[in-house]
Amino acid sequence: MPFADLREFLAFLETKGELLRIREEVDPMFGIAAYIRKTSDIQGPALYFESVKGSSVPVVGGLFATTKRLLLALGAPDHAQAVRLLVESMENPIAPVLVPGGLCKEVVYTGDEVDLGKLPIPTYSSKDGGPFITMGVAISRDPETRIRNVGLYRLQVKGKRRLGLNAQQLSQQLYRVEAKNLGVPVAIAIGTIPELLIGSQWHAPYGVDELGFACAIHRAPIELTKATTVDLEVPASAEIIIEGTVLPKEREIEGPFGEFTGYYQPAVPKPVIEVTAITHRKRPIYLAGLTGMPTTDNHVLKQGSIEASYHLALKRNFPGVKAVHVPNCGGANFLLIVSMKKSQQFEARSLIAAAMSLAGPKYVIVVDDDVDVYDLEKVLWAVSNRSQPDEDVIMLPRLLGAPLDPSAKSRRTMSAMGIDATIPLDRPFPDMVEIPGIDKVPDFWRK
Ligand SMILES: Cc1cc2nc3c(=O)[nH]c(=O)nc-3n(C[C@H](O)[C@H](O)[C@H](O)COP(=O)(O)O)c2cc1C
Ligand SMILES: [Mn+2]
């Protein structure tokens, strides 16, 4: 649903009972994380921390701790329609619009005035290497093609003006130019409209500007304004903007960090950002987000975009694909469930082979289109009743795997297993039980 800024989304959530104010002082060192962990585990409300130890800036967290709030952000009545909206948005991008000025520049700090320590940046898990910015949308350009990239990457606070960077395509931009001693200017937007956060989660091919996707989710151009110290445009209504440059040929130890798998990612050398400006709205709000054992902000926020991109990739060759689910328990990554209307014997098996090549799904389950992929009990019912392990399980060793799999024998390797839980077409299958008149029962449980 189009929101003008984060504050509008928060006000909307408050009217739905989906945002709770915490008035007692909370410590950014583990305290905020503990609260978000708790609300995530009980599928509770997002939290507005009014009083944060050591900072005058309030913090919002757990915004995407539940799928319900992701659907509220998208204005989608259910999970399937949310994915449909995201698929349509990937196929029909909208360009952003440049506006003069912008609330995000109401207060400006540059050069020596910059101090990341003034922001209430939380430390999340006990062995984390320090405080991490986890919900900052990084905007940058390929220095040669000037094509924009938008991604959300954790940033470790390393000093008043220094951040550690653990990035995918932003790092690729750096690798392309650093031999010429060039850095990559970057702007990090914290506290944006939810559509931009969701849009940042499309792992699009290098050279695709994810802002087009974000604007399509927003159903209108997102307003951008010129950044202050870098040649980039930033979301005008963001709460906080951090500007800087990813430095060429510099690496520093980054991490450890408690990751979405529920395990730590160890500390290794990573690129570094030198911060040149912090700008913010008057009385800014800092947006925190938890990563850790499912389910957290990390899983819910990326889930829809991953499902939409898998849906597009698989549908191209398998037109019978109906729905795609990457459950949070699989890190919204390692486990993929697809429903399809099968028209050929073995079609589901071929789909499994295709899905295994997406370098993420380690387990792939395919069900018929009468099974709701978002209902894990029904999915496991189909596995239990419609498949035989000797015929319907496919195992492939030695494949390219997703990063961070704690069980991988070496980096980015995996084996994969598929279960074809669709009804075989080459032999009779029993009739499913049904009860006539179920559609005529009134909603007697509704008050
Ligand atoms: C809360 C959260 C934290 C994330 N942290 C990282 C990170 O530190 N590094 C990373 O590469 N991806 C991270 N991701 C996933 C990326 O944002 C996502 O894959 C995105 O599509 C990457 O954009 P890119 O393909 O343009 O690099 C995170 C996602 C979420 C929701
Ligand atoms: Mn990208």
Side-chain angles (χ1 to χ4, degrees), residues 149-150 153 169 202-208 210:
N149 187 68
V150 181
Y153 315 111
Q169 291 184 347
W202 184 15
H203 186 45
Y206 189 87
V208 172
E210 291 91 349

Side-chain angles (χ1 to χ4, degrees), residues 137 139 150-152 189 191-202 210-215 217-218 222-224 234-236 238 301:
V137 177
I139 299 170
V150 181
L152 197 155
T192 69
I193 54 170
E195 299 95 309
L196 184 53
L197 284 159
I198 298 163
S200 78
Q201 292 309 296
W202 184 15
E210 291 91 349
L211 253 181
F213 172 48
C215 293
I217 304 169
H218 188 57
I222 293 173
E223 293 189 346
L224 303 181
V234 295
L301 187 51

Side-chain angles (χ1 to χ4, degrees), residues 151-194:
L152 197 155
Y153 315 111
R154 71 168 189 245
L155 301 155
Q156 182 177 350
V157 178
K158 289 168 161 273
K160 282 184 178 185
R161 302 176 50 188
R162 210 169 170 83
L163 292 166
L165 173 69
N166 168 64
Q168 300 174 59
Q169 291 184 347
L170 173 53
S171 293
Q172 285 180 36
Q173 292 176 331
L174 177 73
Y175 305 151
R176 285 168 168 241
V177 296
E178 67 180 337
K180 299 172 203 159
N181 225 21
L182 293 174
V184 180
V186 61
I188 296 135
I190 300 171
T192 69
I193 54 170

Side-chain angles (χ1 to χ4, degrees), residues 367-427:
V367 294
D368 291 299
D369 65 344
D370 62 335
V371 177
D372 177 2
V373 293
Y374 306 109
D375 184 340
L376 293 183
E377 188 164 77
K378 292 293 188 299
V379 169
L380 293 180
W381 168 85
V383 169
S384 306
N385 289 283
R386 293 179 173 178
S387 74
Q388 282 296 321
D390 66 338
E391 284 204 325
D392 296 318
V393 171
I394 300 174
M395 204 89 79
L396 266 187
R398 297 160 73 88
L399 294 174
L400 174 65
L404 304 188
D405 177 356
S407 68
K409 287 184 194 150
S410 57
R411 203 183 155 270
R412 296 218 59 179
T413 64
M414 67 170 188
S415 60
M417 184 179 95
I419 303 176
D420 175 2
T422 61
I423 295 174
L425 296 179
D426 63 345
R427 60 179 189 268

Side-chain angles (χ1 to χ4, degrees), residues 1-21 45-50 57-65 69 72-73 135 190-195 197 237-239 281 283-288 297:
M1 223 157 82
F3 296 99
D5 57 13
L6 176 69
R7 296 175 194 200
E8 244 186 35
F9 183 48
L10 297 179
F12 171 72
L13 290 180
E14 211 157 15
T15 65
K16 300 261 172 204
E18 288 285 335
L19 181 73
L20 187 72
R21 285 172 186 271
L47 301 175
Y48 191 122
F49 302 94
E50 292 185 345
V57 178
V59 173
V60 167
L63 208 50
F64 293 96
R69 285 196 287 281
L72 285 173
M135 297 287 267
I190 300 171
T192 69
I193 54 170
E195 299 95 309
L197 284 159
S237 74
E239 293 292 331
R281 293 175 64 146
R283 304 174 63 80
I285 302 167
Y286 181 85
L287 183 63
D297 292 283

